[in-house]
Amino acid sequence: MTRIVGAMGERLAVAVLASGRGSNLRAILDAARGDFPARVVLVVSDRDHALALQHAERAGVRAVCLDPKGFPDRAAFDAALGDLVDAAGARLVCLAGYMRLLGRAFVRRFEGRIMNIHPALLPAFPGLHAQRQALDYGVKIAGATVHFVDEGVDTGPIILQSSVPVLDDDTEEALSNRILVEEHRLYPEAIRLFALARLTIDGRRVRIARAS
Ligand code: GRF
């Protein structure tokens, strides 16, 4: 079955979930300052020290720390998170270094409207420490993936990918930095395509309509 996702019209309202440094959030905020069809209306972190919250505040975007310890279980936490996203009017949820797994109810509630960025060429090296996994495996090409989120870990339909070489003397840090440059380019581009309603999920494939 083919579903059209995204929405034409005014600038798409985006919520970003981030647990840490927030460099992808910054790339999105930077893009949104220009001629861009989306704007960030909410940043949520599960960690109160997350740099991402500071980036949001500096950009004048509502920043909320939602501490999992304040909730009896994941379902309750996810429900509160979903309510925050809806109350902010966000139509797209972007995970950017968000370290908590989202439960089935959250994924279903925002089906086809959650994206994630992963520092590997999926389906290779899902989960934690993808860059280290790539080095340990000995691949010659690594990269970044933006994908829609389904109920698995890094398994949803792929929107965009970009590759980088793995060099003989690469450290995990050097490779991560090379991949990060691609991440910062890919994520705003994926959001832009979604906001312009150019993405269609067709089973496992995401088709990208030509610009009209
Ligand atoms: C990025 O490498 C992203 O691909 C992964 O977590 C990292 C987050 O980095 N999911 P940042 O917080 O956006 O700087």
PDB file of all heavy atoms in Angstrom, residues 17 73-83 85-86 93 101-114 149-152:
ATOM      1  N   LEU A  17      13.630  15.345  19.249  1.00  0.00           N
ATOM      2  CA  LEU A  17      13.954  14.669  20.508  1.00  0.00           C
ATOM      3  C   LEU A  17      15.448  14.374  20.515  1.00  0.00           C
ATOM      4  O   LEU A  17      15.970  13.779  19.560  1.00  0.00           O
ATOM      5  CB  LEU A  17      13.182  13.354  20.646  1.00  0.00           C
ATOM      6  CG  LEU A  17      11.670  13.367  20.366  1.00  0.00           C
ATOM      7  CD1 LEU A  17      11.065  12.009  20.735  1.00  0.00           C
ATOM      8  CD2 LEU A  17      10.982  14.483  21.135  1.00  0.00           C
ATOM      9  N   ASP A  73       6.189   3.950  34.107  1.00  0.00           N
ATOM     10  CA  ASP A  73       6.700   3.013  33.106  1.00  0.00           C
ATOM     11  C   ASP A  73       6.848   3.713  31.756  1.00  0.00           C
ATOM     12  O   ASP A  73       6.519   4.888  31.615  1.00  0.00           O
ATOM     13  CB  ASP A  73       5.769   1.788  32.964  1.00  0.00           C
ATOM     14  CG  ASP A  73       4.326   2.207  32.730  1.00  0.00           C
ATOM     15  OD1 ASP A  73       4.111   3.267  32.100  1.00  0.00           O
ATOM     16  OD2 ASP A  73       3.421   1.492  33.178  1.00  0.00           O
ATOM     17  N   ARG A  74       7.370   2.974  30.797  1.00  0.00           N
ATOM     18  CA  ARG A  74       7.635   3.567  29.489  1.00  0.00           C
ATOM     19  C   ARG A  74       6.359   4.049  28.807  1.00  0.00           C
ATOM     20  O   ARG A  74       6.347   5.075  28.128  1.00  0.00           O
ATOM     21  CB  ARG A  74       8.368   2.577  28.580  1.00  0.00           C
ATOM     22  CG  ARG A  74       8.765   3.240  27.270  1.00  0.00           C
ATOM     23  CD  ARG A  74       9.878   2.522  26.596  1.00  0.00           C
ATOM     24  NE  ARG A  74       9.390   1.369  25.877  1.00  0.00           N
ATOM     25  CZ  ARG A  74      10.156   0.476  25.286  1.00  0.00           C
ATOM     26  NH1 ARG A  74      11.458   0.583  25.376  1.00  0.00           N
ATOM     27  NH2 ARG A  74       9.645  -0.535  24.633  1.00  0.00           N
ATOM     28  N   ALA A  75       5.280   3.279  28.994  1.00  0.00           N
ATOM     29  CA  ALA A  75       4.026   3.657  28.339  1.00  0.00           C
ATOM     30  C   ALA A  75       3.558   5.028  28.819  1.00  0.00           C
ATOM     31  O   ALA A  75       3.126   5.876  28.023  1.00  0.00           O
ATOM     32  CB  ALA A  75       2.957   2.594  28.619  1.00  0.00           C
ATOM     33  N   ALA A  76       3.680   5.258  30.129  1.00  0.00           N
ATOM     34  CA  ALA A  76       3.245   6.544  30.694  1.00  0.00           C
ATOM     35  C   ALA A  76       4.146   7.672  30.195  1.00  0.00           C
ATOM     36  O   ALA A  76       3.675   8.770  29.853  1.00  0.00           O
ATOM     37  CB  ALA A  76       3.267   6.473  32.219  1.00  0.00           C
ATOM     38  N   PHE A  77       5.455   7.391  30.144  1.00  0.00           N
ATOM     39  CA  PHE A  77       6.404   8.397  29.652  1.00  0.00           C
ATOM     40  C   PHE A  77       6.096   8.732  28.188  1.00  0.00           C
ATOM     41  O   PHE A  77       6.006   9.912  27.804  1.00  0.00           O
ATOM     42  CB  PHE A  77       7.832   7.869  29.777  1.00  0.00           C
ATOM     43  CG  PHE A  77       8.870   8.804  29.214  1.00  0.00           C
ATOM     44  CD1 PHE A  77       9.406   9.820  29.992  1.00  0.00           C
ATOM     45  CD2 PHE A  77       9.307   8.670  27.896  1.00  0.00           C
ATOM     46  CE1 PHE A  77      10.357  10.705  29.472  1.00  0.00           C
ATOM     47  CE2 PHE A  77      10.254   9.541  27.371  1.00  0.00           C
ATOM     48  CZ  PHE A  77      10.776  10.555  28.155  1.00  0.00           C
ATOM     49  N   ASP A  78       5.925   7.693  27.384  1.00  0.00           N
ATOM     50  CA  ASP A  78       5.662   7.900  25.949  1.00  0.00           C
ATOM     51  C   ASP A  78       4.360   8.659  25.720  1.00  0.00           C
ATOM     52  O   ASP A  78       4.260   9.477  24.803  1.00  0.00           O
ATOM     53  CB  ASP A  78       5.593   6.554  25.223  1.00  0.00           C
ATOM     54  CG  ASP A  78       6.985   5.991  24.940  1.00  0.00           C
ATOM     55  OD1 ASP A  78       7.980   6.616  25.344  1.00  0.00           O
ATOM     56  OD2 ASP A  78       7.051   4.913  24.306  1.00  0.00           O
ATOM     57  N   ALA A  79       3.366   8.364  26.542  1.00  0.00           N
ATOM     58  CA  ALA A  79       2.073   9.050  26.388  1.00  0.00           C
ATOM     59  C   ALA A  79       2.244  10.543  26.671  1.00  0.00           C
ATOM     60  O   ALA A  79       1.724  11.397  25.940  1.00  0.00           O
ATOM     61  CB  ALA A  79       1.037   8.434  27.327  1.00  0.00           C
ATOM     62  N   ALA A  80       3.012  10.857  27.719  1.00  0.00           N
ATOM     63  CA  ALA A  80       3.254  12.271  28.053  1.00  0.00           C
ATOM     64  C   ALA A  80       4.060  12.950  26.952  1.00  0.00           C
ATOM     65  O   ALA A  80       3.784  14.100  26.575  1.00  0.00           O
ATOM     66  CB  ALA A  80       3.996  12.361  29.391  1.00  0.00           C
ATOM     67  N   LEU A  81       5.026  12.230  26.417  1.00  0.00           N
ATOM     68  CA  LEU A  81       5.845  12.767  25.326  1.00  0.00           C
ATOM     69  C   LEU A  81       4.964  13.045  24.097  1.00  0.00           C
ATOM     70  O   LEU A  81       5.043  14.116  23.480  1.00  0.00           O
ATOM     71  CB  LEU A  81       6.936  11.746  24.977  1.00  0.00           C
ATOM     72  CG  LEU A  81       7.925  12.100  23.881  1.00  0.00           C
ATOM     73  CD1 LEU A  81       8.717  13.355  24.255  1.00  0.00           C
ATOM     74  CD2 LEU A  81       8.901  10.924  23.649  1.00  0.00           C
ATOM     75  N   GLY A  82       4.113  12.096  23.784  1.00  0.00           N
ATOM     76  CA  GLY A  82       3.207  12.274  22.646  1.00  0.00           C
ATOM     77  C   GLY A  82       2.276  13.458  22.844  1.00  0.00           C
ATOM     78  O   GLY A  82       2.022  14.230  21.908  1.00  0.00           O
ATOM     79  N   ASP A  83       1.799  13.620  24.063  1.00  0.00           N
ATOM     80  CA  ASP A  83       0.909  14.750  24.352  1.00  0.00           C
ATOM     81  C   ASP A  83       1.637  16.083  24.178  1.00  0.00           C
ATOM     82  O   ASP A  83       1.071  17.054  23.670  1.00  0.00           O
ATOM     83  CB  ASP A  83       0.344  14.645  25.780  1.00  0.00           C
ATOM     84  CG  ASP A  83      -0.649  13.489  25.919  1.00  0.00           C
ATOM     85  OD1 ASP A  83      -1.088  12.956  24.869  1.00  0.00           O
ATOM     86  OD2 ASP A  83      -0.962  13.119  27.066  1.00  0.00           O
ATOM     87  N   VAL A  85       4.159  16.654  22.158  1.00  0.00           N
ATOM     88  CA  VAL A  85       4.365  16.844  20.716  1.00  0.00           C
ATOM     89  C   VAL A  85       3.081  17.362  20.076  1.00  0.00           C
ATOM     90  O   VAL A  85       3.094  18.335  19.304  1.00  0.00           O
ATOM     91  CB  VAL A  85       4.818  15.510  20.062  1.00  0.00           C
ATOM     92  CG1 VAL A  85       4.761  15.599  18.534  1.00  0.00           C
ATOM     93  CG2 VAL A  85       6.227  15.143  20.526  1.00  0.00           C
ATOM     94  N   ASP A  86       1.969  16.733  20.422  1.00  0.00           N
ATOM     95  CA  ASP A  86       0.687  17.154  19.841  1.00  0.00           C
ATOM     96  C   ASP A  86       0.309  18.559  20.298  1.00  0.00           C
ATOM     97  O   ASP A  86      -0.179  19.371  19.511  1.00  0.00           O
ATOM     98  CB  ASP A  86      -0.422  16.161  20.217  1.00  0.00           C
ATOM     99  CG  ASP A  86      -0.456  14.979  19.253  1.00  0.00           C
ATOM    100  OD1 ASP A  86       0.067  15.116  18.124  1.00  0.00           O
ATOM    101  OD2 ASP A  86      -1.006  13.929  19.630  1.00  0.00           O
ATOM    102  N   VAL A  93       8.150  14.255  13.974  1.00  0.00           N
ATOM    103  CA  VAL A  93       9.022  14.065  15.133  1.00  0.00           C
ATOM    104  C   VAL A  93      10.377  13.590  14.619  1.00  0.00           C
ATOM    105  O   VAL A  93      10.455  12.579  13.915  1.00  0.00           O
ATOM    106  CB  VAL A  93       8.428  13.001  16.091  1.00  0.00           C
ATOM    107  CG1 VAL A  93       9.365  12.777  17.285  1.00  0.00           C
ATOM    108  CG2 VAL A  93       7.041  13.402  16.561  1.00  0.00           C
ATOM    109  N   LEU A 101      14.423   4.101  23.651  1.00  0.00           N
ATOM    110  CA  LEU A 101      13.570   3.431  22.671  1.00  0.00           C
ATOM    111  C   LEU A 101      12.149   3.932  22.845  1.00  0.00           C
ATOM    112  O   LEU A 101      11.677   4.134  23.973  1.00  0.00           O
ATOM    113  CB  LEU A 101      13.607   1.918  22.895  1.00  0.00           C
ATOM    114  CG  LEU A 101      14.929   1.230  22.572  1.00  0.00           C
ATOM    115  CD1 LEU A 101      14.839  -0.260  22.906  1.00  0.00           C
ATOM    116  CD2 LEU A 101      15.295   1.440  21.105  1.00  0.00           C
ATOM    117  N   LEU A 102      11.478   4.126  21.736  1.00  0.00           N
ATOM    118  CA  LEU A 102      10.075   4.553  21.790  1.00  0.00           C
ATOM    119  C   LEU A 102       9.184   3.313  21.737  1.00  0.00           C
ATOM    120  O   LEU A 102       9.429   2.396  20.948  1.00  0.00           O
ATOM    121  CB  LEU A 102       9.760   5.460  20.593  1.00  0.00           C
ATOM    122  CG  LEU A 102      10.513   6.794  20.595  1.00  0.00           C
ATOM    123  CD1 LEU A 102      10.401   7.464  19.237  1.00  0.00           C
ATOM    124  CD2 LEU A 102       9.964   7.709  21.693  1.00  0.00           C
ATOM    125  N   GLY A 103       8.170   3.303  22.561  1.00  0.00           N
ATOM    126  CA  GLY A 103       7.275   2.146  22.610  1.00  0.00           C
ATOM    127  C   GLY A 103       6.352   2.085  21.405  1.00  0.00           C
ATOM    128  O   GLY A 103       6.225   3.044  20.634  1.00  0.00           O
ATOM    129  N   ARG A 104       5.712   0.927  21.274  1.00  0.00           N
ATOM    130  CA  ARG A 104       4.826   0.682  20.130  1.00  0.00           C
ATOM    131  C   ARG A 104       3.715   1.724  20.020  1.00  0.00           C
ATOM    132  O   ARG A 104       3.386   2.180  18.926  1.00  0.00           O
ATOM    133  CB  ARG A 104       4.216  -0.713  20.296  1.00  0.00           C
ATOM    134  CG  ARG A 104       3.161  -1.041  19.280  1.00  0.00           C
ATOM    135  CD  ARG A 104       2.597  -2.414  19.502  1.00  0.00           C
ATOM    136  NE  ARG A 104       3.623  -3.430  19.286  1.00  0.00           N
ATOM    137  CZ  ARG A 104       3.391  -4.734  19.353  1.00  0.00           C
ATOM    138  NH1 ARG A 104       2.192  -5.180  19.665  1.00  0.00           N
ATOM    139  NH2 ARG A 104       4.348  -5.590  19.131  1.00  0.00           N
ATOM    140  N   ALA A 105       3.151   2.104  21.170  1.00  0.00           N
ATOM    141  CA  ALA A 105       2.028   3.054  21.148  1.00  0.00           C
ATOM    142  C   ALA A 105       2.464   4.393  20.553  1.00  0.00           C
ATOM    143  O   ALA A 105       1.731   5.002  19.758  1.00  0.00           O
ATOM    144  CB  ALA A 105       1.466   3.252  22.554  1.00  0.00           C
ATOM    145  N   PHE A 106       3.659   4.855  20.920  1.00  0.00           N
ATOM    146  CA  PHE A 106       4.155   6.131  20.389  1.00  0.00           C
ATOM    147  C   PHE A 106       4.388   6.014  18.887  1.00  0.00           C
ATOM    148  O   PHE A 106       4.003   6.891  18.099  1.00  0.00           O
ATOM    149  CB  PHE A 106       5.463   6.525  21.096  1.00  0.00           C
ATOM    150  CG  PHE A 106       5.928   7.915  20.753  1.00  0.00           C
ATOM    151  CD1 PHE A 106       5.601   8.995  21.571  1.00  0.00           C
ATOM    152  CD2 PHE A 106       6.671   8.163  19.604  1.00  0.00           C
ATOM    153  CE1 PHE A 106       6.014  10.288  21.252  1.00  0.00           C
ATOM    154  CE2 PHE A 106       7.082   9.450  19.279  1.00  0.00           C
ATOM    155  CZ  PHE A 106       6.754  10.512  20.102  1.00  0.00           C
ATOM    156  N   VAL A 107       5.016   4.920  18.475  1.00  0.00           N
ATOM    157  CA  VAL A 107       5.319   4.733  17.044  1.00  0.00           C
ATOM    158  C   VAL A 107       4.025   4.686  16.238  1.00  0.00           C
ATOM    159  O   VAL A 107       3.927   5.263  15.151  1.00  0.00           O
ATOM    160  CB  VAL A 107       6.167   3.452  16.839  1.00  0.00           C
ATOM    161  CG1 VAL A 107       6.330   3.152  15.357  1.00  0.00           C
ATOM    162  CG2 VAL A 107       7.539   3.628  17.493  1.00  0.00           C
ATOM    163  N   ARG A 108       3.011   4.020  16.783  1.00  0.00           N
ATOM    164  CA  ARG A 108       1.726   3.952  16.056  1.00  0.00           C
ATOM    165  C   ARG A 108       1.024   5.299  16.034  1.00  0.00           C
ATOM    166  O   ARG A 108       0.403   5.677  15.044  1.00  0.00           O
ATOM    167  CB  ARG A 108       0.827   2.893  16.696  1.00  0.00           C
ATOM    168  CG  ARG A 108       1.387   1.518  16.446  1.00  0.00           C
ATOM    169  CD  ARG A 108       0.342   0.457  16.593  1.00  0.00           C
ATOM    170  NE  ARG A 108       0.925  -0.826  16.216  1.00  0.00           N
ATOM    171  CZ  ARG A 108       0.489  -1.990  16.621  1.00  0.00           C
ATOM    172  NH1 ARG A 108      -0.564  -2.050  17.416  1.00  0.00           N
ATOM    173  NH2 ARG A 108       1.077  -3.104  16.235  1.00  0.00           N
ATOM    174  N   ARG A 109       1.117   6.002  17.149  1.00  0.00           N
ATOM    175  CA  ARG A 109       0.444   7.305  17.232  1.00  0.00           C
ATOM    176  C   ARG A 109       0.978   8.269  16.167  1.00  0.00           C
ATOM    177  O   ARG A 109       0.233   9.070  15.621  1.00  0.00           O
ATOM    178  CB  ARG A 109       0.675   7.868  18.641  1.00  0.00           C
ATOM    179  CG  ARG A 109       0.083   9.235  18.909  1.00  0.00           C
ATOM    180  CD  ARG A 109       0.148   9.523  20.405  1.00  0.00           C
ATOM    181  NE  ARG A 109      -0.251  10.876  20.723  1.00  0.00           N
ATOM    182  CZ  ARG A 109      -0.331  11.365  21.963  1.00  0.00           C
ATOM    183  NH1 ARG A 109      -0.036  10.598  22.992  1.00  0.00           N
ATOM    184  NH2 ARG A 109      -0.704  12.607  22.178  1.00  0.00           N
ATOM    185  N   PHE A 110       2.286   8.191  15.900  1.00  0.00           N
ATOM    186  CA  PHE A 110       2.901   9.114  14.928  1.00  0.00           C
ATOM    187  C   PHE A 110       3.403   8.351  13.694  1.00  0.00           C
ATOM    188  O   PHE A 110       4.400   8.729  13.088  1.00  0.00           O
ATOM    189  CB  PHE A 110       4.048   9.881  15.595  1.00  0.00           C
ATOM    190  CG  PHE A 110       3.591  10.749  16.736  1.00  0.00           C
ATOM    191  CD1 PHE A 110       3.702  10.316  18.042  1.00  0.00           C
ATOM    192  CD2 PHE A 110       3.002  11.979  16.497  1.00  0.00           C
ATOM    193  CE1 PHE A 110       3.250  11.099  19.105  1.00  0.00           C
ATOM    194  CE2 PHE A 110       2.553  12.772  17.542  1.00  0.00           C
ATOM    195  CZ  PHE A 110       2.675  12.331  18.849  1.00  0.00           C
ATOM    196  N   GLU A 111       2.682   7.325  13.329  1.00  0.00           N
ATOM    197  CA  GLU A 111       3.131   6.445  12.243  1.00  0.00           C
ATOM    198  C   GLU A 111       3.425   7.235  10.957  1.00  0.00           C
ATOM    199  O   GLU A 111       2.613   8.068  10.531  1.00  0.00           O
ATOM    200  CB  GLU A 111       2.068   5.389  11.959  1.00  0.00           C
ATOM    201  CG  GLU A 111       2.644   4.218  11.216  1.00  0.00           C
ATOM    202  CD  GLU A 111       1.569   3.238  10.806  1.00  0.00           C
ATOM    203  OE1 GLU A 111       0.400   3.413  11.210  1.00  0.00           O
ATOM    204  OE2 GLU A 111       1.911   2.313  10.049  1.00  0.00           O
ATOM    205  N   GLY A 112       4.584   6.966  10.381  1.00  0.00           N
ATOM    206  CA  GLY A 112       4.966   7.663   9.138  1.00  0.00           C
ATOM    207  C   GLY A 112       5.364   9.104   9.370  1.00  0.00           C
ATOM    208  O   GLY A 112       5.599   9.850   8.408  1.00  0.00           O
ATOM    209  N   ARG A 113       5.466   9.513  10.633  1.00  0.00           N
ATOM    210  CA  ARG A 113       5.797  10.909  10.953  1.00  0.00           C
ATOM    211  C   ARG A 113       6.945  11.009  11.954  1.00  0.00           C
ATOM    212  O   ARG A 113       7.104  12.006  12.617  1.00  0.00           O
ATOM    213  CB  ARG A 113       4.568  11.634  11.501  1.00  0.00           C
ATOM    214  CG  ARG A 113       3.409  11.720  10.517  1.00  0.00           C
ATOM    215  CD  ARG A 113       2.373  12.714  10.955  1.00  0.00           C
ATOM    216  NE  ARG A 113       1.575  12.250  12.078  1.00  0.00           N
ATOM    217  CZ  ARG A 113       1.334  12.959  13.169  1.00  0.00           C
ATOM    218  NH1 ARG A 113       1.866  14.154  13.316  1.00  0.00           N
ATOM    219  NH2 ARG A 113       0.571  12.475  14.125  1.00  0.00           N
ATOM    220  N   ILE A 114       7.713   9.913  12.069  1.00  0.00           N
ATOM    221  CA  ILE A 114       8.896   9.935  12.942  1.00  0.00           C
ATOM    222  C   ILE A 114      10.115   9.578  12.088  1.00  0.00           C
ATOM    223  O   ILE A 114      10.104   8.571  11.374  1.00  0.00           O
ATOM    224  CB  ILE A 114       8.808   8.911  14.095  1.00  0.00           C
ATOM    225  CG1 ILE A 114       7.450   8.956  14.784  1.00  0.00           C
ATOM    226  CG2 ILE A 114       9.939   9.155  15.095  1.00  0.00           C
ATOM    227  CD1 ILE A 114       7.262   7.844  15.821  1.00  0.00           C
ATOM    228  N   VAL A 149      10.868   5.806  11.358  1.00  0.00           N
ATOM    229  CA  VAL A 149      10.966   4.923  12.521  1.00  0.00           C
ATOM    230  C   VAL A 149       9.782   3.956  12.527  1.00  0.00           C
ATOM    231  O   VAL A 149       8.626   4.379  12.383  1.00  0.00           O
ATOM    232  CB  VAL A 149      10.996   5.758  13.821  1.00  0.00           C
ATOM    233  CG1 VAL A 149      10.872   4.875  15.057  1.00  0.00           C
ATOM    234  CG2 VAL A 149      12.290   6.576  13.876  1.00  0.00           C
ATOM    235  N   ASP A 150      10.112   2.671  12.653  1.00  0.00           N
ATOM    236  CA  ASP A 150       9.060   1.677  12.887  1.00  0.00           C
ATOM    237  C   ASP A 150       9.297   1.074  14.273  1.00  0.00           C
ATOM    238  O   ASP A 150      10.016   1.656  15.074  1.00  0.00           O
ATOM    239  CB  ASP A 150       9.012   0.642  11.745  1.00  0.00           C
ATOM    240  CG  ASP A 150      10.293  -0.180  11.670  1.00  0.00           C
ATOM    241  OD1 ASP A 150      11.141  -0.071  12.607  1.00  0.00           O
ATOM    242  OD2 ASP A 150      10.457  -0.931  10.698  1.00  0.00           O
ATOM    243  N   GLU A 151       8.727  -0.090  14.522  1.00  0.00           N
ATOM    244  CA  GLU A 151       8.820  -0.608  15.888  1.00  0.00           C
ATOM    245  C   GLU A 151      10.148  -1.299  16.197  1.00  0.00           C
ATOM    246  O   GLU A 151      10.395  -1.690  17.328  1.00  0.00           O
ATOM    247  CB  GLU A 151       7.630  -1.525  16.162  1.00  0.00           C
ATOM    248  CG  GLU A 151       6.347  -0.728  16.294  1.00  0.00           C
ATOM    249  CD  GLU A 151       5.109  -1.595  16.384  1.00  0.00           C
ATOM    250  OE1 GLU A 151       5.202  -2.734  16.857  1.00  0.00           O
ATOM    251  OE2 GLU A 151       4.043  -1.113  15.950  1.00  0.00           O
ATOM    252  N   GLY A 152      10.996  -1.462  15.198  1.00  0.00           N
ATOM    253  CA  GLY A 152      12.298  -2.087  15.440  1.00  0.00           C
ATOM    254  C   GLY A 152      13.365  -1.053  15.762  1.00  0.00           C
ATOM    255  O   GLY A 152      13.098   0.148  15.823  1.00  0.00           O
TER     256      GLY A 152
END
